[in-house]
Amino acid sequence: MACQSAAAAAMDEQALLGLNPNADAPYRQRALAYFEQLKESHDAWEVCAQALAKGLYSDDHVKFFCFQVLEYQVKFRHGGLSGGQRQLIRETLMKWLQCQLLSAQPEKVFVRNKAAQVLALTFVAEYPALWPDFFFDILALVGLDPRGVDIYLRTLMAVDGEVVDRDVLHAPEETRRNTLIKDAMREQCIPNLVESWFQILHTYQRSHPELTCQCLEVVGAYVSWIDLGLIANQRFVDLLLSHMSVEELREEACDCLLEIVNKGMDPADKTKLVESLAQVLQSAGFFCVEQEENVDFLAKFSRLVNGMGQSLVLSWSKLAKAGSADEAGAALRALEAKVALVLRLLAHPDDDISANVVAFCYEYLQVLKQVAASRRSPVALRRASCRVPGAFLFICLFFLRQLPELSHGQKSNMEAIMLAVVKKLTYDDEYNFDNEGEDEAMFVEYRKQLKMLLDRLAQVSPELVLDSVRRVFADTMGKWQSASFKEVEVAIRLLYMLGEALPASHGAHFSGDAVKSGALQDMMATLVTCGVSDYGHTSVTLEFFETVVRYDKFFTVEPQHIPGVLMAFLDQRGLRHNSPKVRSRVAYLFSRFVKTLHKHMTSFIEDILTRIQDLLELAPPDKTFPAPLTSDDQLFIFEAAGVLIVSSESPAERKRALMRSLLAPLVDAFRLLLDKLSLETDEETQAAVADCLSHAVGFVSRTSKAFSNKQTVKQCGCTEVYRDCLHAFLPALSCPVQREALRSCVRSFLHRMIICMEEEVLPFVPAASEHMLKDCEAKDLQEFIPLISQITTKFKRQVSPFLQQVFMPLVLAIFEALARPADANDQAAALEKQMLRRSYFSFVHTVAGSGMSEVLANQGAENVERVLFTLIQGAVDFPDPIAQKTCFAVLARLVELWGGKAGMTGFRDFTYKHIVPACFLAPLKPTFDLSDAQTVLTLAEVAVTLKMVFVQQGPELLEFLQRDYLPSLHVCPDVAQELCHVLQQPDVKVLKTYLKVFFQRTGP
């Protein structure tokens, strides 16, 4: 029976109704308010303690609620509790625990977990000073009662989470506290806890397997920081091994043994521990993994074996570095003895089991790499003997003689790993290529692990990898018509992977090492001539094209194969494949293939353009027919078409005709669709038409990527073609509907044309700017400013008249957008304004930094002053270090241009009244965080600005600072004099360093 009491706890019964998950919102709100009231009250929480101690409530949610209230008191208010209140919490927990021993039914798991958490928090707060007998009291109370043991074990795991768990980040003070707790536990109670674990494991291994598993988890969690001798002894190991034979316990026992193996210790002792465990496991028959049918257990066991192997690798590495030749040799022999088992697990049909031992195989190959390298090291050391002390050389040579060369067995192990990699790279029959889900994603990740293993193999023995791949590839390609898709795909995949396993500078796989280049060249020739591109499976098709593009340099060696591969790209094997996934990927690969090898395609460029013509059609907005490629895929085809035209050997007139033929259908369709959009009233149709218009502009823009410094638009005779495109596209800026989409695509096109057409684009800029500044939102302005900045940077004084004309309209539009009211809680709007403000300051910086101060100077005194004040405001008032940095950079530039005697009228006064004060007011703001890297960069700009004022004004600035300004900031004369002295140093870096110290000393 549950503990009962006639006494009534003074709790808000109406509020407690809201704890039910199905309660209405008002009740839930009342319950939440009640929880906050109990948390914050000095003693109201005591009713929860009373309710738990006396078992007044049977509702699980009320019990959980009471524990939550106690949890808050222990976690956040323990230091402020009186001695009596702390005692009340201890008594409450122990009485509640006693009730569990007498109750007819155990508590729900979520209640037990919360109780264990509160117990653990109380332990952390009070052990060892206030409750030194915490665990002794609990053990004395629960004994071996199953329900009590359950709470005891859950409490131990909760303590581990609070004190030990390395995945939990702790503050330095908490880390020190946790260290003291562990030290006290080791000294006072760990032996007793370990004994209790042994009794629990022994008593309940048959009757209560769930408790035994909990206890094994506890042992695994605690073994990392307690004396290993308490666990790694005959009686404990025998007990754990007996659990390995119990179906319900064996997986948890594996995890526990793995934690024991992973415990940090002396490498020689670790070798002995792992070896003794291995011998026992082998004697018990666990190494016969082929006879084990339970894959879940094997997955756990493979993790254990992997951990044992990795521990031996680490021991060998440490012992070898320490020069302990005999012990290192013992570790290496122990390591080698596990390889056969690991290889059987690596080749296991279950990928999870295989994946668990990849890490050990990887590290084992690293060991072999180091052993193999040792054969050359003595020679290198002898060559260096004239530079190395004789004693050190003798030691190194002596140690290296202890390391064996790669033995026959080691070479056999590498071959076995290679065979396992080939086998495991193969797709499973269950792989769903049409609807790839979580299982397929896991296999892809597993393949990546195998690739890393192959790469490491190639580092140890490139000859082995090359020969193995060549053998598999030749055998499979010789019978590809009758082979399964899995065999064919993995054979081509291995060839593809060689590109990274045997890397070459800039992809030059077909030069240099004659053996390697010859083998790769033979395999590539086989790949493109054997007809395997006709294999019907999508995985084979994709692997074929991926490999062809990876080794595109092959076709510069054997260009006679290019036409055949191009046909594969262009027909039903590639761009016209029945799988959208294949068509999409091949579109990208085709673009790469053309960009690399266009010089070898000049004789059949027009044939290619004819064959891809249907793939270049703009899909109508109503989707009346299914397009073979998506618009994103078409971008690659248009880029490839552009490259083919531009790189051809045809005269400029022919290039212009081909480019016009390519782009004219897009321009004609654009005009028709734009007219249609202006008349369309249905919003969905409007959006579809605007999307189609954007695609047309994007396709034209993508073709311009074909031009380069050597092949410009003008040299290719295509200026007129792109000028016609501009004439067609710019009217979209005045379209009254779908403005955001249309402005965005035209703006992007203008960015490209500024690069490609250069000054030919300038006549279009004023009209385009006028349209883009009409009825614009903050986002429109933010995206328009980079375009104007690009024009300013590229053309400079060529666009000065235009900039003088557009400067203030743009600035006023920005001011208007920034002044529009917005909800104070609208974070998106606030961020949009912040970004626009940054863009504005960046634009002013671009104008000033491009040597066109006249653009600003000719805006009239009132407008100039207004802009200058926005710079001061941005530098001082807005806590945005990125914008502040830009503002100070602009101010420094203006001081340089206008701060001298011949500068702008009134600017000298502005400098003393506003610019110099800004250099001090901004860093003195509480929001100016000198521990932030971006803010430190802003301070550097402040230093540059002050330095520039000094360069222009000289001693006058020093007098102003010492006599007038710094005293107003209550800076003592000595510090002011010190600052002025630093300001006179020629290197501005000295000032940058000093200012950080100055403001840290005088800051708020």
Side-chain angles (χ1 to χ4, degrees):
M1 290 180 61
C3 294
Q4 298 291 333
S5 171
M11 295 184 75
D12 186 339
E13 300 293 336
Q14 292 298 313
L16 295 180
L17 295 175
L19 299 174
N20 191 305
N22 300 318
D24 294 334
Y27 283 103
R28 291 201 299 271
Q29 291 173 359
R30 182 168 177 177
L32 183 61
Y34 185 47
F35 177 62
E36 294 298 324
Q37 174 191 335
L38 291 176
K39 281 198 317 183
E40 299 302 331
S41 171
H42 176 67
D43 54 8
W45 58 269
E46 294 177 9
V47 297
C48 294
Q50 180 187 19
L52 288 171
K54 296 181 178 180
L56 299 180
Y57 293 94
S58 59
D59 188 294
D60 298 319
H61 298 287
V62 174
K63 297 174 189 174
F64 187 83
F65 173 84
C66 291
F67 274 119
Q68 279 185 304
V69 173
L70 287 188
E71 176 188 20
Y72 184 85
Q73 299 304 314
V74 175
K75 193 169 186 176
F76 299 108
R77 304 185 67 182
H78 187 271
L81 298 178
S82 66
Q85 288 177 319
R86 292 174 183 171
Q87 183 62 31
L88 173 62
I89 291 175
R90 293 182 212 125
E91 291 175 355
T92 297
L93 294 173
M94 297 302 287
K95 287 179 181 178
W96 176 86
L97 184 54
Q98 186 176 24
C99 286
Q100 304 315 299
L101 308 181
L102 303 174
S103 175
Q105 294 294 329
E107 296 282 12
K108 294 288 178 59
V109 171
F110 72 92
V111 176
R112 282 181 273 162
N113 283 338
K114 181 55 69 175
Q117 189 176 6
V118 176
L119 278 162
L121 289 171
T122 304
F123 169 79
V124 170
E126 302 197 348
Y127 183 85
L130 300 177
W131 198 352
D133 296 331
F134 177 88
F135 280 115
F136 293 109
D137 291 346
I138 291 179
L139 286 171
L141 179 62
V142 304
L144 285 175
D145 183 277
R147 292 183 187 173
V149 167
D150 175 82
I151 302 298
Y152 165 62
L153 294 174
R154 290 177 192 275
T155 301
L156 283 166
M157 288 308 299
V159 168
D160 173 75
E162 292 292 330
V163 176
V164 182
D165 193 340
R166 292 178 176 85
D167 293 332
V168 178
L169 294 176
H170 293 289
E173 184 178 338
E174 291 175 331
T175 302
R176 286 192 293 272
R177 176 205 67 189
N178 294 342
T179 300
L180 291 173
I181 289 174
K182 288 188 289 185
D183 289 344
M185 288 181 69
R186 289 189 192 100
E187 185 178 339
Q188 297 176 11
C189 64
I190 285 297
N192 301 80
L193 297 183
V194 172
E195 180 59 32
S196 73
W197 301 339
F198 180 83
Q199 295 302 326
I200 292 167
L201 293 173
H202 179 73
T203 303
Y204 293 120
Q205 58 183 327
R206 299 292 180 185
S207 60
H208 291 77
E210 71 284 352
L211 283 181
T212 308
C213 286
Q214 275 182 258
C215 192
L216 287 169
E217 186 181 5
V218 168
V219 174
Y222 278 72
V223 75
S224 66
W225 59 275
I226 66 174
D227 179 5
L228 186 62
L230 296 171
I231 303 294
N233 51 54
Q234 192 66 46
R235 67 168 191 157
F236 236 110
V237 172
D238 287 347
L239 187 59
L240 291 175
L241 287 173
S242 70
H243 293 162
M244 293 278 285
S245 302
V246 180
E247 191 71 28
E248 298 93 335
L249 308 180
R250 58 199 317 214
E251 293 178 27
E252 200 64 55
C254 271
D255 285 343
C256 184
L257 287 171
L258 177 59
E259 294 301 328
I260 294 173
V261 166
N262 286 340
K263 179 178 173 62
M265 56 191 300
D266 176 79
D269 292 339
K270 173 64 72 71
T271 302
K272 294 175 184 176
L273 171 68
V274 173
E275 272 299 82
S276 62
L277 177 60
Q279 290 169 7
V280 173
L281 290 172
Q282 187 171 15
S283 300
F286 289 105
F287 281 17
C288 300
V289 293
E290 296 85 358
Q291 300 174 14
E292 178 58 60
E293 297 180 356
N294 188 330
V295 293
D296 290 334
F297 168 70
L298 269 185
K300 295 283 189 178
F301 182 70
S302 60
R303 288 183 67 243
L304 172 60
V305 172
N306 185 75
M308 292 165 65
Q310 286 185 299
S311 293
L312 290 172
V313 170
L314 184 60
S315 293
W316 174 82
S317 177
K318 289 180 177 179
L319 291 167
K321 287 180 181 177
S324 305
D326 292 341
E327 292 176 323
L332 184 59
R333 288 191 294 274
L335 189 160
E336 295 277 5
K338 311 298 175 294
V339 174
L341 170 62
V342 171
L343 289 174
R344 296 202 297 276
L345 292 169
L346 180 67
H348 195 278
D350 188 275
D351 291 341
D352 290 336
I353 295 170
S354 174
N356 284 340
V357 296
V358 167
F360 167 70
C361 292
Y362 188 84
E363 293 182 13
Y364 172 64
L365 290 173
Q366 178 63 22
V367 171
L368 295 187
K369 181 182 177 183
Q370 293 176 357
V371 170
S374 72
R375 291 177 297 180
R376 297 183 295 271
S377 295
V379 176
L381 282 169
R382 279 193 290 271
R383 287 176 180 170
S385 60
C386 61
R387 301 187 301 271
V388 178
F392 175 73
L393 179 63
F394 173 79
I395 292 170
C396 292
L397 288 171
F398 173 82
F399 170 65
L400 286 164
R401 280 195 292 270
Q402 313 309 309
L403 292 174
E405 295 184 2
L406 288 186
S407 65
H408 175 72
Q410 290 169 334
K411 293 176 182 177
S412 298
N413 288 339
M414 287 197 296
E415 291 172 1
I417 292 174
M418 183 70 209
L419 288 173
V421 168
V422 173
K423 175 185 175 183
K424 296 302 296 180
L425 277 170
T426 307
Y427 280 111
D428 294 330
D429 292 328
E430 295 80 17
Y431 194 98
N432 189 338
F433 291 91
D434 297 323
N435 185 23
E436 294 175 321
E438 184 178 350
D439 289 342
E440 287 73 22
M442 289 174 63
F443 180 73
V444 170
E445 287 302 311
Y446 171 56
R447 263 192 158 193
K448 291 178 181 177
Q449 294 181 49
L450 294 175
K451 177 197 170 300
M452 292 173 59
L453 206 51
L454 183 73
D455 291 346
R456 179 50 60 89
L457 259 173
Q459 293 174 14
V460 183
S461 179
E463 301 84 3
L464 168 66
V465 173
L466 185 61
D467 290 344
S468 300
V469 172
R470 181 163 49 182
R471 186 167 57 250
V472 171
F473 184 83
D475 291 347
T476 308
M477 292 301 105
K479 58 176 183 178
W480 68 263
Q481 294 94 335
S482 59
S484 69
F485 84 88
K486 297 182 292 183
E487 295 175 90
V488 179
E489 190 276 341
V490 83
I492 304 175
R493 180 73 176 179
L494 285 166
L495 172 57
Y496 176 86
M497 292 168 72
L498 276 182
E500 291 183 9
L502 305 174
S505 177
H506 303 292
H509 293 286
F510 303 95
S511 60
D513 184 348
V515 174
K516 172 193 162 186
S517 61
L520 283 172
Q521 194 167 330
D522 289 345
M523 285 189 278
M524 280 301 297
T526 301
L527 178 70
V528 298
T529 58
C530 72
V532 74
S533 60
D534 288 320
Y535 201 102
H537 200 276
T538 57
S539 67
V540 175
T541 302
L542 285 171
E543 208 60 61
F544 171 82
F545 286 112
E546 295 281 0
T547 305
V548 162
V549 173
R550 162 157 281 186
Y551 296 110
D552 50 19
K553 298 288 191 303
F554 163 76
F555 298 95
T556 63
V557 179
E558 298 191 29
Q560 69 271 21
H561 298 300
I562 292 178
V565 173
L566 274 174
M567 287 305 300
F569 270 112
L570 298 173
D571 62 22
Q572 75 284 350
R573 291 170 288 179
L575 291 170
R576 288 174 174 77
H577 197 280
N578 57 14
S579 166
K581 177 182 176 182
V582 172
R583 294 197 300 269
S584 177
R585 185 62 181 171
V586 169
Y588 163 72
L589 294 172
F590 174 68
S591 174
R592 280 185 54 188
F593 191 73
V594 168
K595 284 193 285 186
T596 303
L597 298 167
H598 57 80
K599 291 180 181 178
H600 299 276
M601 302 178 185
T602 53
S603 58
F604 33 85
I605 282 175
E606 295 196 28
D607 182 40
I608 298 172
L609 292 173
T610 301
R611 291 176 181 273
I612 63 174
Q613 190 169 354
D614 61 317
L615 301 176
L616 298 169
E617 294 177 4
L618 184 67
D622 54 8
K623 312 292 184 191
T624 51
F625 62 85
L629 296 175
T630 66
S631 56
D632 288 340
D633 300 332
Q634 281 183 287
L635 287 169
F636 296 114
I637 306 301
F638 273 101
E639 184 176 357
V643 170
L644 288 169
I645 292 170
V646 171
S647 63
S648 71
E649 296 176 353
S650 305
E653 295 79 7
R654 184 57 184 159
K655 289 184 180 180
R656 179 171 61 247
L658 289 172
M659 192 64 78
R660 189 177 294 282
S661 174
L662 176 65
L663 302 185
L666 295 172
V667 173
D668 293 341
F670 186 92
R671 288 193 174 103
L672 291 172
L673 288 170
L674 187 60
D675 291 340
K676 179 181 179 180
L677 180 60
S678 301
L679 302 173
E680 186 58 60
T681 56
D682 180 70
E683 287 191 9
E684 284 191 17
T685 305
Q686 284 180 358
V689 172
D691 198 37
C692 197
L693 287 166
S694 298
H695 293 327
V697 177
F699 295 156
V700 175
S701 183
R702 194 61 170 255
T703 62
S704 70
K705 285 184 171 286
F707 298 103
S708 64
N709 293 333
K710 294 181 180 179
Q711 293 280 358
T712 65
V713 174
K714 186 180 293 186
Q715 288 171 335
C716 293
C718 295
T719 301
E720 183 183 333
V721 179
Y722 285 98
R723 190 187 298 123
D724 291 345
C725 294
L726 276 168
H727 279 297
F729 295 160
L730 289 185
L733 295 173
S734 58
C735 183
V737 296
Q738 297 294 317
R739 288 189 311 170
E740 183 177 348
L742 294 178
R743 286 184 176 184
S744 177
C745 69
V746 174
R747 188 169 50 241
S748 297
F749 185 65
L750 281 168
H751 277 294
R752 283 296 310 160
M753 292 304 101
I754 290 168
I755 296 170
C756 298
M757 293 180 65
E758 298 188 334
E759 66 274 0
E760 294 285 345
V761 80
L762 291 179
F764 297 93
V765 171
S769 300
E770 183 181 352
H771 286 301
M772 282 190 272
L773 284 175
K774 281 183 180 177
D775 305 320
C776 51
E777 301 293 331
K779 185 180 179 183
D780 297 322
L781 289 166
Q782 185 187 326
E783 293 175 350
F784 174 66
I785 288 171
L787 178 66
I788 294 297
S789 296
Q790 182 188 13
I791 293 168
T792 304
T793 303
K794 186 169 183 66
F795 299 111
K796 294 185 172 63
R797 295 199 177 279
Q798 280 181 270
V799 293
S800 180
F802 161 70
L803 282 176
Q804 291 183 46
Q805 181 182 354
V806 78
F807 184 86
M808 279 316 296
L810 173 58
V811 169
L812 291 173
I814 294 170
F815 290 170
E816 182 186 347
L818 291 173
R820 287 173 193 155
D823 189 339
N825 297 321
D826 189 345
Q827 294 184 353
L831 179 61
E832 197 171 72
K833 285 190 175 184
Q834 181 189 51
M835 299 308 292
L836 177 58
R837 197 177 289 114
R838 286 182 185 177
S839 297
Y840 160 65
F841 293 137
S842 179
F843 168 59
V844 178
H845 183 242
T846 300
V847 172
S850 298
M852 290 189 291
S853 58
E854 73 275 5
V855 171
L856 182 56
N858 293 339
Q859 300 302 318
E862 185 178 340
N863 287 331
V864 171
E865 185 174 304
R866 189 172 180 183
V867 171
L868 289 175
F869 274 116
T870 62
L871 292 170
I872 297 297
Q873 187 182 30
V876 177
D877 294 338
F878 296 114
D880 178 2
I882 294 176
Q884 288 177 294
K885 176 178 176 290
T886 307
C887 288
F888 278 112
V890 176
L891 292 171
R893 178 63 173 157
L894 293 178
V895 169
E896 181 183 6
L897 295 171
W898 296 343
K901 295 180 180 178
M904 178 181 286
T905 304
F907 189 76
R908 176 182 169 281
D909 289 341
F910 184 85
T911 299
Y912 283 114
K913 287 182 180 178
H914 302 288
I915 296 179
V916 173
C919 292
F920 292 90
L921 294 176
L924 287 172
K925 289 273 187 178
T927 54
F928 200 86
D929 181 10
L930 286 171
S931 64
D932 173 63
Q934 191 62 53
T935 304
V936 172
L937 293 177
T938 303
L939 187 63
E941 286 297 337
V942 171
V944 171
T945 305
L946 273 175
K947 187 71 175 178
M948 189 55 66
V949 176
F950 174 72
V951 169
Q952 297 289 359
Q953 303 299 330
E956 185 178 281
L957 171 65
L958 304 179
E959 184 180 353
F960 169 74
L961 288 173
Q962 288 184 282
R963 188 188 64 192
D964 299 324
Y965 189 68
L966 291 177
S968 71
L969 297 178
H970 307 292
V971 176
C972 67
D974 290 344
V975 174
Q977 185 176 1
E978 184 181 71
L979 171 60
C980 291
H981 173 73
V982 173
L983 195 55
Q984 298 175 68
Q985 300 300 311
D987 190 351
V988 73
K989 291 180 182 178
V990 178
L991 180 60
K992 290 178 182 179
T993 304
Y994 175 79
L995 282 184
K996 186 172 183 180
V997 176
F998 175 84
F999 286 113
Q1000 284 173 336
R1001 189 167 55 189
T1002 59

